[in-house]
PDB file of all heavy atoms in Angstrom:
ATOM      1  N   VAL A 264      87.857 149.970  91.597  1.00  0.00           N
ATOM      2  CA  VAL A 264      86.967 150.925  92.258  1.00  0.00           C
ATOM      3  C   VAL A 264      86.251 151.808  91.257  1.00  0.00           C
ATOM      4  O   VAL A 264      85.071 152.117  91.392  1.00  0.00           O
ATOM      5  CB  VAL A 264      87.755 151.776  93.274  1.00  0.00           C
ATOM      6  CG1 VAL A 264      86.860 152.845  93.904  1.00  0.00           C
ATOM      7  CG2 VAL A 264      88.361 150.882  94.347  1.00  0.00           C
ATOM      8  N   LYS A 265      86.983 152.229  90.209  1.00  0.00           N
ATOM      9  CA  LYS A 265      86.378 153.111  89.220  1.00  0.00           C
ATOM     10  C   LYS A 265      86.983 152.831  87.860  1.00  0.00           C
ATOM     11  O   LYS A 265      88.091 152.272  87.740  1.00  0.00           O
ATOM     12  CB  LYS A 265      86.588 154.570  89.600  1.00  0.00           C
ATOM     13  CG  LYS A 265      88.058 154.979  89.699  1.00  0.00           C
ATOM     14  CD  LYS A 265      88.198 156.441  90.086  1.00  0.00           C
ATOM     15  CE  LYS A 265      89.691 156.838  90.145  1.00  0.00           C
ATOM     16  NZ  LYS A 265      89.857 158.255  90.516  1.00  0.00           N
ATOM     17  N   ASN A 266      86.261 153.240  86.827  1.00  0.00           N
ATOM     18  CA  ASN A 266      86.784 153.105  85.471  1.00  0.00           C
ATOM     19  C   ASN A 266      87.864 154.150  85.239  1.00  0.00           C
ATOM     20  O   ASN A 266      87.876 155.216  85.861  1.00  0.00           O
ATOM     21  CB  ASN A 266      85.665 153.264  84.448  1.00  0.00           C
ATOM     22  CG  ASN A 266      84.724 152.076  84.438  1.00  0.00           C
ATOM     23  OD1 ASN A 266      85.173 150.935  84.487  1.00  0.00           O
ATOM     24  ND2 ASN A 266      83.416 152.324  84.394  1.00  0.00           N
ATOM     25  N   ILE A 267      88.791 153.816  84.345  1.00  0.00           N
ATOM     26  CA  ILE A 267      89.868 154.754  84.042  1.00  0.00           C
ATOM     27  C   ILE A 267      89.786 155.175  82.586  1.00  0.00           C
ATOM     28  O   ILE A 267      89.275 154.433  81.734  1.00  0.00           O
ATOM     29  CB  ILE A 267      91.255 154.141  84.331  1.00  0.00           C
ATOM     30  CG1 ILE A 267      91.465 152.847  83.525  1.00  0.00           C
ATOM     31  CG2 ILE A 267      91.429 153.891  85.813  1.00  0.00           C
ATOM     32  CD1 ILE A 267      92.860 152.271  83.672  1.00  0.00           C
ATOM     33  N   GLY A 268      90.295 156.355  82.322  1.00  0.00           N
ATOM     34  CA  GLY A 268      90.340 156.845  80.953  1.00  0.00           C
ATOM     35  C   GLY A 268      91.714 156.579  80.369  1.00  0.00           C
ATOM     36  O   GLY A 268      92.138 155.430  80.219  1.00  0.00           O
ATOM     37  N   LYS A 269      92.435 157.641  80.096  1.00  0.00           N
ATOM     38  CA  LYS A 269      93.775 157.506  79.547  1.00  0.00           C
ATOM     39  C   LYS A 269      94.732 156.993  80.616  1.00  0.00           C
ATOM     40  O   LYS A 269      94.708 157.445  81.762  1.00  0.00           O
ATOM     41  CB  LYS A 269      94.250 158.864  79.014  1.00  0.00           C
ATOM     42  CG  LYS A 269      95.536 158.783  78.205  1.00  0.00           C
ATOM     43  CD  LYS A 269      95.879 160.135  77.601  1.00  0.00           C
ATOM     44  CE  LYS A 269      97.161 160.044  76.779  1.00  0.00           C
ATOM     45  NZ  LYS A 269      97.538 161.359  76.210  1.00  0.00           N
ATOM     46  N   VAL A 270      95.575 156.046  80.247  1.00  0.00           N
ATOM     47  CA  VAL A 270      96.511 155.462  81.203  1.00  0.00           C
ATOM     48  C   VAL A 270      97.646 156.445  81.493  1.00  0.00           C
ATOM     49  O   VAL A 270      98.185 157.088  80.593  1.00  0.00           O
ATOM     50  CB  VAL A 270      97.090 154.140  80.648  1.00  0.00           C
ATOM     51  CG1 VAL A 270      98.106 153.546  81.607  1.00  0.00           C
ATOM     52  CG2 VAL A 270      95.964 153.149  80.391  1.00  0.00           C
ATOM     53  N   ASP A 271      97.991 156.533  82.758  1.00  0.00           N
ATOM     54  CA  ASP A 271      99.074 157.412  83.212  1.00  0.00           C
ATOM     55  C   ASP A 271     100.370 157.047  82.487  1.00  0.00           C
ATOM     56  O   ASP A 271     100.821 155.893  82.553  1.00  0.00           O
ATOM     57  CB  ASP A 271      99.253 157.245  84.721  1.00  0.00           C
ATOM     58  CG  ASP A 271     100.237 158.251  85.325  1.00  0.00           C
ATOM     59  OD1 ASP A 271     101.171 158.656  84.614  1.00  0.00           O
ATOM     60  OD2 ASP A 271     100.063 158.610  86.501  1.00  0.00           O
ATOM     61  N   PRO A 272     101.005 158.007  81.791  1.00  0.00           N
ATOM     62  CA  PRO A 272     102.258 157.710  81.069  1.00  0.00           C
ATOM     63  C   PRO A 272     103.358 157.155  81.973  1.00  0.00           C
ATOM     64  O   PRO A 272     104.194 156.365  81.519  1.00  0.00           O
ATOM     65  CB  PRO A 272     102.661 159.073  80.480  1.00  0.00           C
ATOM     66  CG  PRO A 272     101.389 159.848  80.403  1.00  0.00           C
ATOM     67  CD  PRO A 272     100.564 159.401  81.566  1.00  0.00           C
ATOM     68  N   ASP A 273     103.358 157.568  83.256  1.00  0.00           N
ATOM     69  CA  ASP A 273     104.370 157.034  84.174  1.00  0.00           C
ATOM     70  C   ASP A 273     104.178 155.541  84.386  1.00  0.00           C
ATOM     71  O   ASP A 273     105.151 154.790  84.523  1.00  0.00           O
ATOM     72  CB  ASP A 273     104.305 157.754  85.521  1.00  0.00           C
ATOM     73  CG  ASP A 273     104.846 159.177  85.429  1.00  0.00           C
ATOM     74  OD1 ASP A 273     105.680 159.423  84.525  1.00  0.00           O
ATOM     75  OD2 ASP A 273     104.442 160.021  86.236  1.00  0.00           O
ATOM     76  N   PHE A 274     102.921 155.097  84.409  1.00  0.00           N
ATOM     77  CA  PHE A 274     102.654 153.671  84.518  1.00  0.00           C
ATOM     78  C   PHE A 274     103.178 152.941  83.290  1.00  0.00           C
ATOM     79  O   PHE A 274     103.806 151.889  83.392  1.00  0.00           O
ATOM     80  CB  PHE A 274     101.156 153.417  84.670  1.00  0.00           C
ATOM     81  CG  PHE A 274     100.600 153.714  86.035  1.00  0.00           C
ATOM     82  CD1 PHE A 274      99.233 153.759  86.249  1.00  0.00           C
ATOM     83  CD2 PHE A 274     101.443 153.946  87.118  1.00  0.00           C
ATOM     84  CE1 PHE A 274      98.708 154.025  87.510  1.00  0.00           C
ATOM     85  CE2 PHE A 274     100.933 154.216  88.382  1.00  0.00           C
ATOM     86  CZ  PHE A 274      99.566 154.255  88.574  1.00  0.00           C
ATOM     87  N   VAL A 275     102.909 153.506  82.116  1.00  0.00           N
ATOM     88  CA  VAL A 275     103.356 152.867  80.876  1.00  0.00           C
ATOM     89  C   VAL A 275     104.872 152.728  80.867  1.00  0.00           C
ATOM     90  O   VAL A 275     105.419 151.691  80.487  1.00  0.00           O
ATOM     91  CB  VAL A 275     102.864 153.646  79.640  1.00  0.00           C
ATOM     92  CG1 VAL A 275     103.453 153.040  78.363  1.00  0.00           C
ATOM     93  CG2 VAL A 275     101.345 153.629  79.567  1.00  0.00           C
ATOM     94  N   ARG A 276     105.574 153.773  81.309  1.00  0.00           N
ATOM     95  CA  ARG A 276     107.035 153.704  81.363  1.00  0.00           C
ATOM     96  C   ARG A 276     107.496 152.596  82.307  1.00  0.00           C
ATOM     97  O   ARG A 276     108.469 151.898  82.031  1.00  0.00           O
ATOM     98  CB  ARG A 276     107.617 155.056  81.794  1.00  0.00           C
ATOM     99  CG  ARG A 276     107.688 156.063  80.659  1.00  0.00           C
ATOM    100  CD  ARG A 276     108.604 157.226  81.021  1.00  0.00           C
ATOM    101  NE  ARG A 276     108.041 158.043  82.092  1.00  0.00           N
ATOM    102  CZ  ARG A 276     107.195 159.052  81.884  1.00  0.00           C
ATOM    103  NH1 ARG A 276     106.813 159.352  80.662  1.00  0.00           N
ATOM    104  NH2 ARG A 276     106.733 159.754  82.899  1.00  0.00           N
ATOM    105  N   SER A 277     106.794 152.441  83.429  1.00  0.00           N
ATOM    106  CA  SER A 277     107.182 151.384  84.368  1.00  0.00           C
ATOM    107  C   SER A 277     106.930 150.010  83.773  1.00  0.00           C
ATOM    108  O   SER A 277     107.683 149.066  84.015  1.00  0.00           O
ATOM    109  CB  SER A 277     106.422 151.545  85.687  1.00  0.00           C
ATOM    110  OG  SER A 277     105.056 151.181  85.543  1.00  0.00           O
ATOM    111  N   PHE A 278     105.879 149.863  82.964  1.00  0.00           N
ATOM    112  CA  PHE A 278     105.602 148.579  82.318  1.00  0.00           C
ATOM    113  C   PHE A 278     106.675 148.234  81.291  1.00  0.00           C
ATOM    114  O   PHE A 278     106.920 147.065  81.005  1.00  0.00           O
ATOM    115  CB  PHE A 278     104.242 148.609  81.618  1.00  0.00           C
ATOM    116  CG  PHE A 278     103.070 148.916  82.525  1.00  0.00           C
ATOM    117  CD1 PHE A 278     101.969 149.605  82.050  1.00  0.00           C
ATOM    118  CD2 PHE A 278     103.076 148.522  83.854  1.00  0.00           C
ATOM    119  CE1 PHE A 278     100.889 149.887  82.866  1.00  0.00           C
ATOM    120  CE2 PHE A 278     102.002 148.804  84.689  1.00  0.00           C
ATOM    121  CZ  PHE A 278     100.895 149.491  84.191  1.00  0.00           C
TER     122      PHE A 278
END
Side-chain angles (χ1 to χ4, degrees):
V264 176
K265 60 180 181 180
N266 289 317
I267 58 175
K269 190 175 181 182
V270 178
D271 187 329
D273 288 334
F274 284 168
V275 175
R276 280 196 292 273
S277 73
F278 301 148

